[in-house]
Amino acid sequence: MQKPRLLVPAMATPNGTLVHPAYFLLVGIPGLGPNVHFWLAFPLCFIYALATLGNLSIVLIIRVERRLHEPMYHFLAMLSTIDLVLSSVTMPKMASLFLTGFQEIEFNVCLAQMFLIHALSAMESAVLLAMAFDRFVAICHPLRHASVLTGPRVAKIGLAALTRGFVFFFPLPFILKRLSYCQAHTVTHSFCLHQDIMKLSCTDTTVNVVYGLFIILSVMGIDSLFIGFSYILILRAVLELSSQGAALKAFNTCISHLCAVLVFYVPLIGLSVVHRLGGPTSLLHVIMANIYLLLPPVVNPIVYGAKTKEIRSQVLRVFSKDGR
């Protein structure tokens, strides 16, 4: 079959004509042949089904069960919604790539996927920060928890997380469109990331590098610092409790959130570091990017379902009814 023309003029500028590819080529896992990729598509589909079922179940349980209409569970519903959308943006295309070997992704579609991945990641970071604040108020100032985290305030926090993710990452597709791509056109991941697309340009990428570093530090960087500071205050308050049982019970309410933070930030920091160390994209880059995008949507529902008594009881109740 004849392939479409790869390079097409995009627009004329004072410095010349920008050249954009008609499509990029996605890559699965380097070093693995088509047969291995084909069989990897099936566990990937299972992971996507598990992530969808888990996050959708949490959202529906929190919506239906009135006892769960509390700030912590509202933030959890936001987190699950973000994970649900994020997995839907990445996993079906990856499964299609592995299953059929069809690598092409249209230029604008790639930029749209890139924007959604980064914006949703920023929203997830903001929700994790809000959950840390919820745990801080609940443990350090329990009598003020209900008055500080009211329903309208929780809604405003969710809207702020959505707005910030959109505003900070909305310029990314446009600063990538101002570049010319007249050489390589193979994206070395199974999805589109800003750093990866930027490296394919044959023009100056200083603006992209500076802005990319700025938003990583000002969004995820600041969020992680505030989350760490919150847990320092939480740990200090827990250690000041007179009863060891009360201290363990208080800190136990943070375990699920701590797991979600580690699952999100450890791969994110690792991916950012290896990308900014320079050099060609390696198997390490690809594995860390896959962990960063695939792990949180699957792990978060499992951890919260296992550690949160109210959610666990609702799930068991549904299965017990089905088993009758």
Side-chain angles (χ1 to χ4, degrees), residues 137-310:
V137 177
I139 293 174
C140 300
H141 305 283
L143 298 179
R144 299 178 56 190
H145 184 262
S147 60
V148 171
L149 285 167
T150 60
R153 191 162 292 166
V154 169
K156 289 178 182 178
I157 291 173
L159 182 60
L162 178 68
T163 303
R164 189 189 67 163
F166 180 84
V167 168
F168 271 83
F169 289 91
F170 184 71
L172 285 186
F174 298 99
I175 62 176
L176 286 172
K177 277 196 167 187
R178 56 176 288 276
L179 303 176
S180 281
Y181 304 87
C182 46
Q183 297 176 358
H185 60 280
T186 300
V187 179
T188 49
H189 292 297
S190 305
F191 36 79
C192 299
L193 296 175
H194 174 250
Q195 306 96 312
D196 212 16
I197 300 173
M198 178 183 67
K199 289 180 180 179
L200 300 180
S201 172
C202 55
T203 48
D204 181 40
T205 59
T206 302
V207 173
N208 301 72
V209 172
V210 172
Y211 187 72
L213 185 60
F214 164 73
I215 54 180
I216 283 291
L217 293 177
S218 60
V219 177
M220 280 75 161
I222 291 178
D223 288 351
S224 60
L225 286 177
F226 276 114
I227 290 173
F229 183 64
S230 297
Y231 271 100
I232 291 174
L233 297 178
I234 288 172
L235 188 60
R236 188 178 69 175
V238 166
L239 293 176
E240 289 177 353
L241 294 175
S242 57
S243 169
Q244 184 177 1
L248 290 174
K249 184 178 180 181
F251 195 73
N252 189 53
T253 63
C254 302
I255 297 299
S256 299
H257 178 254
L258 271 175
C259 290
V261 168
L262 292 175
V263 165
F264 178 80
Y265 278 105
V266 171
L268 171 64
I269 294 171
L271 181 63
S272 298
V273 169
V274 295
H275 265 296
R276 281 168 176 76
L277 286 178
T281 302
S282 65
L283 180 61
L284 177 63
H285 293 74
V286 175
I287 291 175
M288 294 197 71
N290 287 338
I291 291 174
Y292 163 59
L293 286 180
L294 302 184
L295 197 61
V298 178
V299 171
N300 288 342
I302 295 174
V303 170
Y304 275 99
K307 292 293 296 180
T308 308
K309 180 181 177 182
E310 292 81 358

Side-chain angles (χ1 to χ4, degrees), residues 58-108:
I58 286 182
V59 172
L60 292 177
I61 288 172
I62 293 174
R63 179 178 176 83
V64 171
E65 185 58 48
R66 291 189 176 275
R67 290 184 303 167
L68 302 181
H69 291 180
E70 298 177 7
M72 179 177 70
Y73 299 113
H74 286 310
F75 289 134
L76 177 56
M78 295 178 195
L79 185 68
S80 294
T81 302
I82 293 169
D83 282 339
L84 188 62
V85 178
L86 184 59
S87 61
S88 297
V89 167
T90 54
M91 293 189 197
K93 181 60 181 176
M94 288 180 63
S96 173
L97 169 65
F98 288 177
L99 193 62
T100 66
F102 185 76
Q103 296 178 274
E104 288 87 352
I105 180 170
E106 200 268 327
F107 178 74
N108 288 322

